[in-house]
Structures are given as C-alpha cells and as structure tokens.
Amino acid sequence: MSPVSFEVVGSRVEPHAAAPTLVLRLRITATSPQPIAAMVLRAQIMIDPKKRRYTAEEESLLTDLFGDTPRWGETLRPFLWMHVSTTVTEFTGSTEVDLPIACTYDFDVAAAKYLHALGSGEVPLIVMFSGTVFGRSTGGGNGAFSAAPISWSEEASYRLPVELWRQMMDLYFPNGGWLRLQRTTLDALQRFKAGRGLLTWDEAVEMLLKQAG
C-alpha cells in the first residue's frame, strides 16, 4: 500500500517565471495517521487525447500528429508531455502543494503541437506519481527516519482548461509562436528577407506563402 494518495485540485499560470509555466495544485493525503517528515516527489504527466471530442478545424490541425481521422481509433493513444519533480515538507493528514510545469512552444514537440491545435474545451491529463516518503521512525533512536516508496500505481486525472494554456502563451509570447529551423534553412530565409528589403520574419514567410499559392 502506498503511504500517500494524490488528487489534482486546480491549476493556474505562473506569471513571473523565466519560461512559460503552468502550476498544478496537488492535494496529498497520508494513508496513515503518522506524520510525513518529507517527500521527494516525481510526476510523469501524460496527455490522453481519446478522452475528448474535436471540432473539424481541430481535426485538420491534428492530422500531422495522428494521421487522417479514420485512423484515429488506432492512433489516439496517451503520450508523454513531461517529467517534473518537487519536494514536500512535513505534514500530517493532508497538505496541498504546487507542481510547476515548465512548458515549451516548440512545434517539434508533440505536446505543444497538440495543445496549439485545440480551440477550446479541456486537455485530459493523467499524472503518474513516484518518489520516496520519509517518516519519523517509531522504533529507532532520536532523529531516526524511515523511508517508503510511492507506488507507481498512484495516479490522478485532471482536465486542464485549454483557455489556461492560451492565457499562458499569450502572456509569455503575445500573438506568437516558435518554429525550429535547420541552420541552412534559416540562412536561406535570412537572405530572402534581406534581398527583398523585408523588415520582419512574418513578412518573409507571408511572401513565400503567397508565391507558393
């Protein structure tokens, strides 16, 4: 039996981080009345795309990830968003802690591509926990501690509002996004931009799109 259980009770945007950061609020409950001295907590956050519906526009944007919609019965599978970790200080019974999630807008990352494609609704998350719980030993000497692992079976579901993701990206990258290009492609795009006297990358890409029809 795991010494603790978990529930995700809320989420918010961290407005003053160095990178776009969401915060999940966790409620941790001890399964015994003994005090928890400390905890090293790791979490594997998965996105389960099968647990929501999609509009026609969302389906078209997700083709790159999951293929054509007739194949979605096979291709819509849970996939990893990220691994995160934190420490928890002493508590008895239950406590609530923040779990920060540093996010990326790099479209080479499947999760960023998926989240950008969603217009509204919720993102179905599965948070899987592991780590170590430290307790004060009842049979040892003064200051002795015991340690117990958090079972890999411990997990929590949460439906993250898509609007919260958009609020975060608008806060850190107003009306923008990121694409990673090979250096040779970037050099060619820079020559194209300079050769036509364009002021911004947007203008260069817009002109290329117009020329391509």
Side-chain angles (χ1 to χ4, degrees):
M1 180 178 178
S2 181
V4 289
S5 61
F6 300 90
E7 180 184 7
V8 183
V9 296
S11 55
R12 61 179 174 84
V13 175
E14 174 52 60
H16 304 300
T21 301
L22 289 172
V23 178
L24 296 183
R25 187 69 173 172
L26 301 181
R27 179 177 294 133
I28 306 173
T29 302
T31 54
S32 79
Q34 299 300 320
I36 302 293
M39 187 186 307
V40 176
L41 181 63
R42 294 183 292 273
Q44 179 176 291
I45 303 176
M46 309 286 292
I47 294 175
D48 192 352
K50 191 180 290 186
K51 291 185 177 178
R52 62 158 284 161
R53 295 182 181 276
Y54 300 92
T55 65
E57 183 177 357
E58 290 169 342
E59 288 177 355
S60 67
L61 293 173
L62 290 169
T63 301
D64 188 35
L65 276 180
F66 304 124
D68 295 331
T69 50
R71 297 182 53 223
W72 281 21
E74 302 173 3
T75 59
L76 256 62
R77 296 285 185 268
F79 62 92
L80 178 66
W81 187 2
M82 67 183 68
H83 291 93
V84 293
S85 60
T86 190
T87 56
V88 181
T89 57
E90 185 172 5
F91 71 92
T92 301
S94 67
T95 189
E96 292 189 5
V97 299
D98 287 340
L99 186 65
I101 303 173
C103 302
T104 179
Y105 215 170
D106 183 348
F107 277 17
D108 282 348
V109 178
K113 200 178 296 187
Y114 174 82
L115 291 162
H116 177 77
L118 303 183
S120 61
E122 297 170 326
V123 184
L125 301 182
I126 303 170
V127 188
M128 306 171 66
F129 298 97
S130 63
T132 306
V133 175
F134 299 94
R136 300 191 187 283
S137 177
T138 56
N142 219 8
F145 285 88
S146 61
I150 298 171
S151 170
W152 271 107
S153 63
E154 286 298 326
E155 63 180 51
S157 298
Y158 183 67
R159 302 189 74 86
L160 178 75
V162 172
E163 182 59 27
L164 195 68
W165 163 267
R166 295 197 171 277
Q167 287 175 10
M168 177 186 65
M169 287 307 176
D170 286 343
L171 177 65
Y172 285 87
F173 306 123
N175 195 33
W178 293 96
L179 286 175
R180 184 165 61 88
L181 302 175
Q182 292 185 1
R183 186 171 298 170
T184 53
T185 305
L186 185 60
D187 289 345
L189 185 60
Q190 188 170 7
R191 288 192 293 269
F192 177 86
K193 174 173 167 284
R196 285 155 180 79
L198 303 175
L199 298 178
T200 67
W201 297 109
D202 274 327
E203 290 177 337
V205 173
E206 284 172 5
M207 182 172 286
L208 285 170
L209 289 173
K210 287 179 181 177
Q211 291 179 0

